Amino acid sequence: MAKFYVTTPIYYINDKPHIGHAYATIAADVIARYRRQQGDTVLFSTGTDENSQKTVQAAEKAGKSLEEYTNVMAQEWQATFNDLAISYTRFIRTTDPDHIKAVTAFIKKVEASGDLYRGTYEGLYCVGHEAFMREDELVDGKCPDHGKAPEHIKEDNYFFKLSKYQDQILKHIEEHPEFVQPESRRNEVLAFIKRGLQDFSVSRPKKVWGIPWPGDKEQVVYVWFDALLNYLTVAGYPGKDAADWWPADLHIVGKDITKFHCIYWPAMLLSAGEALPKTVFGTGFFTIDERKISKSLGNAINPRELAANYGVDALRYYLLREITFGHDGEFSYERLEAVYNSDLANELGNLVQRVAVMITKYFSGVIGDLPTHSHDTTPYEEAMDKYQLDRALEEVWLLVKGLNQYLEEEKPWKLSKTDTEQLAAVLRHAVADLLQIAQLLLPFLPTTAQRIAATFKDGKVDSTVGLLFPKSDTIEETEIKVK
Ligand code: MSP
């Protein structure tokens, strides 16, 4: 049986999740569910990036101890992902003991390769990014993403010989077009490497919170170095069985952290003699009024609240259908409402309801033997295999629209007066289509897909399953009148 290992970024816990975070996690979940449906055994990890200065500042602000604060927040993130039907198999926290063990073992390997040296770092550090910044990246002296001036720091660190791996990484990316996706991200990464890679500091002085540097009580591990290693920890590193899962098949990451995953991470892995992940997919951003949604900008929308209002499946559908996977897109309540009403309540929910009501009314709920026809799903599978999630949903909707049109043309409500045999054939055809649609929707809308399947289970309509996408002001419209 094939194996598939997919990861999300691990999230900073200085605040609750917003829909930008939900987006990458839902996308990874869709892929995990799809691979399972294809018969793969799936390792699917998500989690929290806790050894960060932001955590310390947020804990202080909340008046809590670090331990209490990290526990509460990790729980909040995990609960959010549970609410969003994320089928992760490991929720990793970078404070977990197995992670600390993996980081320690990995650093020893890198050291043995001769890729670490001591140096003095002087420059600008943005705590928001947990990264050093160049002067030319600032706008009016401030980090454009976090709206704050970075700190000027001068400190003794361990440096990692990133420059040594420049040619190897360049060659790898050029020879493996699937390594960085989509194409636009790949071009950005290639351009960045061609400008020249500089060694980077991988430790910070002890006064900062972090995993202790092995063999040096004065230093802790730089949070990004530690965070990237979570993917190996989840695979079981440094245990022998890690080879069962490593290299990962897919890292889903946001476009702001593609560089870390496509340059720093491969160099670290090469240094330690580990294989490189097969694909890093950089998603775009959800924006509000063209600005990235972010805690620091104060325009965050809580995905749990949206899910409570519209339902988890509606939120999942909207986020993945609305923008081309890999591109940026605007979040708007108007669009969410519009998509809910048109695609979900009318085109899908109404359709299922209509078919169920007619079978109940004309055939006392008995469906009979289903025809064996099915639509060609190659375009859907191709889109899924290329991680074109919005396109895959579009393919499903062609079937949904096609079935609506078929019923408009066949007019079963008229057939009920003239040709019962043809009426039965039309309704059975509709049920077969709906069951196929449910299969294809399963990775995206797990509850809805199961409800459609339950409605038409065992040759009988189960009318207790109820309306799929009801909403106070639209319920009237979605109620079906059999003519
Ligand atoms: N902790 C690091 C990641 C370490 S992975 C080894 C981090 N955390 S984060 O919480 O700031 O961001 C996590 C992910 O959320 C990133 O991939 C980021 O791009 C994504 N998003 C944050 N805001 C977003 C949007 N508004 N839209 C889409 N994704 C966004 O970076």
Side-chain angles (χ1 to χ4, degrees):
M1 212 194 287
K3 288 182 170 175
F4 196 85
Y5 176 21
V6 54
T7 69
T8 75
I10 50 170
Y11 300 95
Y12 291 131
I13 53 169
N14 52 317
D15 210 340
K16 294 177 181 174
H18 61 62
I19 53 159
H21 307 123
Y23 179 58
T25 317
I26 292 171
D29 182 64
V30 168
I31 293 160
R33 287 176 186 268
Y34 174 69
R35 298 303 333 170
R36 286 191 198 109
Q37 217 183 8
Q38 299 294 104
D40 289 359
T41 311
V42 173
L43 181 63
F44 170 22
S45 71
T46 189
T48 44
D49 188 354
E50 305 187 6
N51 305 314
S52 152
Q53 275 319 96
K54 296 168 188 255
T55 312
V56 179
Q57 292 172 352
E60 270 167 17
K61 206 168 150 202
K64 291 197 166 79
S65 71
L66 262 180
E67 195 189 355
E68 192 191 349
Y69 181 80
T70 51
N71 285 340
V72 169
M73 290 310 285
Q75 212 170 28
E76 171 73 30
W77 281 77
Q78 196 166 0
T80 301
F81 292 161
N82 291 343
D83 278 4
L84 299 178
I86 307 301
S87 61
Y88 57 84
T89 50
R90 165 87 189 256
F91 187 93
I92 180 168
R93 300 180 55 183
T94 52
T95 45
D96 287 342
D98 63 343
H99 179 65
I100 295 166
K101 206 172 124 195
V103 171
T104 309
F106 189 89
I107 288 176
K108 287 185 181 154
K109 280 264 184 183
V110 174
E111 194 168 28
S113 300
D115 287 341
L116 295 174
Y117 62 92
R118 284 203 77 121
T120 304
Y121 187 87
E122 181 166 9
L124 300 165
Y125 193 84
C126 169
V127 175
H129 277 121
E130 284 288 12
F132 294 105
M133 295 190 77
R134 293 192 315 264
E135 201 86 51
D136 64 1
E137 288 174 311
L138 309 180
V139 178
D140 298 332
K142 291 182 179 163
C143 162
D145 294 328
H146 297 97
K148 281 191 194 144
E151 291 169 32
H152 180 264
I153 57 172
K154 184 175 178 194
E155 54 190 37
D156 281 340
N157 298 143
Y158 288 100
F159 280 74
F160 171 70
K161 287 187 189 164
L162 179 65
S163 53
K164 175 175 158 188
Y165 295 98
Q166 171 160 336
D167 294 344
Q168 231 174 314
I169 297 172
L170 195 63
K171 189 160 172 267
H172 184 82
I173 298 178
E174 276 168 349
E175 283 174 4
H176 298 86
E178 75 292 352
F179 179 63
V180 189
Q181 292 184 40
E183 186 72 24
S184 53
R185 293 285 112 76
R186 184 164 176 261
N187 295 337
E188 285 163 18
V189 170
L190 283 172
F192 189 90
I193 301 175
K194 285 176 185 161
R195 284 202 296 272
L197 297 181
Q198 284 170 7
D199 297 350
F200 72 107
S201 104
V202 291
S203 72
R204 305 278 327 263
K206 184 74 204 282
K207 60 179 195 268
V208 164
W209 189 45
I211 296 181
W213 188 269
D216 188 338
K217 291 194 179 63
E218 301 306 315
Q219 298 275 310
V220 295
V221 182
Y222 168 47
V223 62
W224 262 104
F225 202 79
D226 138 22
L228 287 162
L229 286 167
N230 91 85
Y231 305 126
L232 272 182
T233 307
V234 171
Y237 186 88
K240 274 202 197 70
D241 294 347
D244 288 353
W245 288 107
W246 193 259
D249 294 276
L250 176 63
H251 293 318
I252 299 267
V253 303
K255 66 175 183 182
D256 55 336
I257 59 171
T258 330
K259 196 173 79 186
F260 285 98
H261 285 79
C262 299
I263 301 174
Y264 296 12
W265 181 221
M268 288 163 60
L269 289 164
L270 288 170
S271 170
E274 293 295 330
L276 305 192
K278 288 178 200 147
T279 296
V280 177
F281 193 103
T283 70
F285 282 156
F286 262 101
T287 55
I288 290 185
D289 300 330
E290 316 266 308
R291 303 189 73 188
K292 181 187 171 202
I293 298 171
S294 96
K295 300 171 264 219
S296 336
L297 296 175
N299 59 358
I301 295 171
N302 185 337
R304 283 176 111 173
E305 281 166 22
L306 282 186
N309 281 342
Y310 295 89
V312 180
D313 281 7
L315 176 63
R316 289 169 66 106
Y317 180 83
Y318 169 72
L319 291 179
L320 291 181
R321 180 74 198 266
E322 186 67 357
I323 62 177
T324 305
F325 196 51
H327 292 219
D328 291 346
E330 267 284 292
F331 176 88
S332 94
Y333 284 101
E334 291 74 36
R335 282 291 304 152
L336 174 56
E337 287 272 339
V339 163
Y340 184 98
N341 287 326
S342 68
D343 299 20
L344 297 175
N346 291 339
E347 289 177 344
L348 181 63
N350 221 345
L351 173 64
V352 172
Q353 179 80 350
R354 243 157 99 193
V355 173
V357 165
M358 285 191 282
I359 297 174
T360 306
K361 174 161 176 164
Y362 302 130
F363 300 102
S364 313
V366 178
I367 303 166
D369 292 339
L370 291 181
T372 50
H373 84 272
S374 61
H375 297 276
D376 176 18
T377 54
T378 319
Y380 167 91
E381 275 140 22
E382 273 173 9
M384 287 304 263
D385 292 339
K386 289 191 201 142
Y387 308 130
Q388 297 173 336
L389 304 183
D390 54 299
R391 247 202 63 212
L393 271 179
E394 219 173 292
E395 290 296 331
V396 183
W397 245 256
L398 288 179
L399 299 185
V400 172
K401 283 179 200 286
L403 182 56
N404 272 309
Q405 200 181 345
Y406 171 78
L407 292 179
E408 282 310 308
E409 282 160 12
E410 290 291 334
K411 300 190 177 33
W413 50 92
K414 279 198 179 152
L415 287 175
S416 72
K417 297 185 186 104
T418 56
D419 188 345
T420 331
E421 220 165 284
Q422 174 64 6
L423 172 66
V426 167
L427 292 177
R428 283 178 197 154
H429 174 114
V431 171
D433 269 16
L434 285 173
L435 290 176
Q436 194 183 6
I437 288 167
Q439 276 286 318
L440 303 180
L441 277 183
L442 193 69
F444 293 90
L445 313 180
T447 309
T448 303
Q450 279 158 19
R451 290 179 67 193
I452 296 174
T455 302
F456 304 108
K457 206 168 151 242
D458 300 332
K460 264 194 77 83
V461 166
D462 183 347
S463 47
T464 62
V465 177
L467 209 55
L468 286 181
F469 291 98
K471 214 177 149 235
S472 49
D473 55 340
T474 51
I475 274 184
E476 295 291 284
E477 283 170 42
T478 56
E479 244 164 357
I480 315 305
K481 291 173 193 69
V482 177
K483 295 178 203 168

